[in-house]
Amino acid sequence: MIRSADIREWRNHDVVDPRGHKIGVLEAVYVDTRTDEPAMATVRTGLPTRQRLVFVPLDEATVGPDYLKVAYDKGHVRDAPSIETDGVLAAESEEAVFRHYDLPYRQGAHGERQLARR
């Protein structure tokens, strides 16, 4: 399991898919608010003048010498819900991120968000 303290050190390192294809650069880590464990990351993708942040789950992610390898193919990640590089994930958009990866979405008992940026 990757701990949030460890993965933050990988900010600005390459994120690659299972075949080693570069998806983009790690921007931020989001933890599950129930467990405080890393759940998602944002990856900076696109051309220098048109960059955006896409979300990718960190389940089964592994770290290498200078990269973070995720369990999802580059095309699938690039099609994921995204935000502007200076944007914030709206609470009402959170479920769409989980749905894109066929993952269960569980709000808190009082409607709290499932993800929090660390």
Side-chain angles (χ1 to χ4, degrees), residues 3-19:
R3 298 178 327 170
S4 57
D6 295 337
I7 202 163
R8 271 187 298 224
E9 295 175 13
W10 291 95
R11 189 167 184 252
N12 293 320
H13 281 74
D14 290 344
V15 176
V16 299
D17 73 4
R19 295 179 292 173

Side-chain angles (χ1 to χ4, degrees), residues 24-108:
V25 176
L26 181 67
E27 178 68 23
V29 175
Y30 287 73
V31 297
D32 186 312
T33 56
R34 293 172 183 225
T35 64
D36 207 37
E37 293 296 326
M40 296 268 179
T42 51
V43 180
R44 195 172 347 117
T45 65
L47 301 171
T49 57
R50 303 188 101 203
Q51 292 189 338
R52 62 192 177 105
L53 300 175
V54 294
F55 288 83
V56 63
L58 293 174
D59 59 323
E60 300 180 41
T62 57
V63 292
D66 57 355
Y67 62 85
L68 175 71
K69 184 184 289 186
V70 294
Y72 300 87
D73 287 330
K74 178 179 180 176
H76 192 65
V77 175
R78 289 215 168 165
D79 289 341
S82 64
I83 58 175
E84 298 295 321
T85 55
D86 60 350
V88 176
L89 179 65
E92 57 273 5
S93 301
E94 214 176 56
E95 186 174 2
V97 174
F98 286 81
R99 193 174 33 239
H100 178 77
Y101 292 103
D102 294 323
L103 296 172
Y105 178 70
R106 297 176 303 273
Q107 273 188 324

